[in-house]
Amino acid sequence: MSENQNLLAEQRRSLILDEVRRRGGVRVNELTRKLGVSDMTVRRDLDALARQGVLEKVHGGAVPVVEASTHEPGFEAKSGLELTAKEDIARAAAELVAPGSAIALSGGTTTYALAHQLVDVPDLTVVTNSVRVADVFHAAQRTTGPRQGAATVVLTGGVRTPSDSLVGPVADQAIGALHFDVLFLGVHGISVEAGLSTPNLAEAETNRRLVQSARRVVVVADHTKWGVVGLSSFAALEQVDTLVTDAGLERAARAEIAEHLRRLVVAGEPDEGADI
């Protein structure tokens, strides 16, 4: 981490969290030197990250939170993490959407960011099991009023999860009867061994149905999701056509991913892959 007096709070906290995860713990005095900010600023950042449940404060510093594979953070807790990365990923993923196509958006904070990028793409049919994603499109229509080319939104039924996704038999049956061109899928974790995974068993089954109903699968996931494994796997990496991620993903991970996926898109970097 390079010293920078002008880092935004979000950027500082992302750097702090990366350092904690990489090293297994950091001290406040180390962070003040590396970030070039005051002791009080670092402590406020650690307080904010601790409230989000992503690290644990200890005397003089912080350590990672060791989460069980069944732990599922709520939407609000996740929405405050990696905001810049999610916006970058959303913009890159939106470029893969053709007007008039039928797409699916799973639940998650990154797909929620993507939904905001898609409200002006004409003639979309959007299938989603996310209450939050559906609200984005409905809010846009309430703001602008009825307009030609506005998205048609199909919201599955189901039981609501902590991340505001609808899952279970009702959602599974609805999704199984549909077919869409591209699925944009948010994930809890992604790894070579476990593939795509989630801590929620019902959500795993619903995600399985989404993957089965899609002609192409695009995973939208920031770099912190790499190497994370939830309780239940629902797809292998080989079932994914494209991963859209951010520049924080390390080179070694990129090389490993490239061995299993058809296409890797890193937001903000040149993309040499073929269009979907």
Side-chain angles (χ1 to χ4, degrees), residues 13 15-32 42-51 53-66:
R13 291 166 190 174
L15 289 169
I16 290 170
L17 187 57
D18 282 348
E19 190 78 351
V20 169
R21 287 171 170 167
R22 183 176 65 83
R23 295 176 51 194
V26 292
R27 300 188 65 80
V28 170
N29 58 5
E30 295 173 332
L31 293 173
T32 58
V42 168
R43 292 184 186 278
R44 281 199 299 266
D45 288 340
L46 293 179
D47 285 339
L49 292 167
R51 285 195 298 272
V54 294
L55 57 73
E56 181 180 352
K57 289 184 65 181
V58 295
H59 182 68
V63 296
V65 171
V66 180

Side-chain angles (χ1 to χ4, degrees), residues 40-268:
M40 185 175 294
T41 297
V42 168
R43 292 184 186 278
R44 281 199 299 266
D45 288 340
L46 293 179
D47 285 339
L49 292 167
R51 285 195 298 272
Q52 292 173 356
V54 294
L55 57 73
E56 181 180 352
K57 289 184 65 181
V58 295
H59 182 68
V63 296
V65 171
V66 180
E67 295 181 346
S69 62
T70 55
H71 175 66
E72 182 179 9
F75 186 92
E76 299 300 340
K78 293 187 290 186
S79 64
L81 303 176
E82 303 296 335
L83 290 175
T84 300
K86 290 172 184 176
E87 292 297 329
D88 291 344
I89 291 167
R91 283 190 289 270
E95 295 179 2
L96 305 178
V97 178
S101 56
I103 67 171
L105 298 177
S106 75
T109 52
T110 309
T111 50
Y112 176 73
L114 174 57
H116 284 87
Q117 298 291 326
L118 298 179
V119 293
D120 292 323
V121 178
D123 301 317
L124 288 181
T125 298
V126 179
V127 178
T128 185
N129 68 320
S130 168
V131 176
R132 302 279 186 148
V133 166
D135 281 347
V136 170
F137 291 98
H138 291 316
Q141 292 181 22
R142 287 195 300 269
T143 301
T144 61
R147 61 182 175 85
Q148 187 175 4
T152 299
V153 179
V154 179
L155 178 64
T156 69
V159 178
R160 201 164 181 163
T161 70
S163 58
D164 283 345
S165 299
L166 299 176
V167 301
V170 173
D172 297 346
Q173 185 173 1
I175 293 165
L178 300 172
H179 305 279
F180 24 85
D181 299 313
V182 187
L183 163 65
F184 291 92
L185 186 63
V187 296
H188 172 81
I190 178 170
S191 71
V192 171
E193 297 78 15
L196 311 181
S197 62
T198 173
N200 188 304
L201 290 173
E203 187 169 43
E205 181 56 33
T206 298
N207 283 345
R208 237 175 250 122
R209 297 296 181 95
L210 284 167
V211 171
Q212 292 168 359
S213 293
R215 287 180 55 246
R216 296 189 182 275
V217 178
V218 178
V219 171
V220 287
D222 69 73
H223 68 282
T224 65
K225 304 297 181 67
W226 179 250
V228 175
V229 177
L231 176 66
S232 179
S233 296
F234 58 86
L237 286 187
E238 286 74 14
Q239 292 175 267
V240 177
D241 296 281
T242 303
L243 169 63
V244 184
T245 189
D246 66 286
L249 188 67
E250 295 182 354
R251 292 291 172 184
R254 299 185 193 192
E256 195 171 13
I257 290 168
E259 296 178 3
H260 297 270
L261 297 189
R262 297 175 180 85
R263 184 181 182 189
L264 174 65
V265 175
V266 180

Side-chain angles (χ1 to χ4, degrees), residues 1-7 12 15-16 28-42 45:
M1 290 188 289
S2 61
E3 293 187 6
N4 188 339
Q5 291 280 2
N6 299 316
L7 284 175
R12 285 199 313 272
L15 289 169
I16 290 170
V28 170
N29 58 5
E30 295 173 332
L31 293 173
T32 58
R33 289 196 302 271
K34 290 183 177 183
L35 293 172
V37 295
S38 68
D39 179 281
M40 185 175 294
T41 297
V42 168
D45 288 340

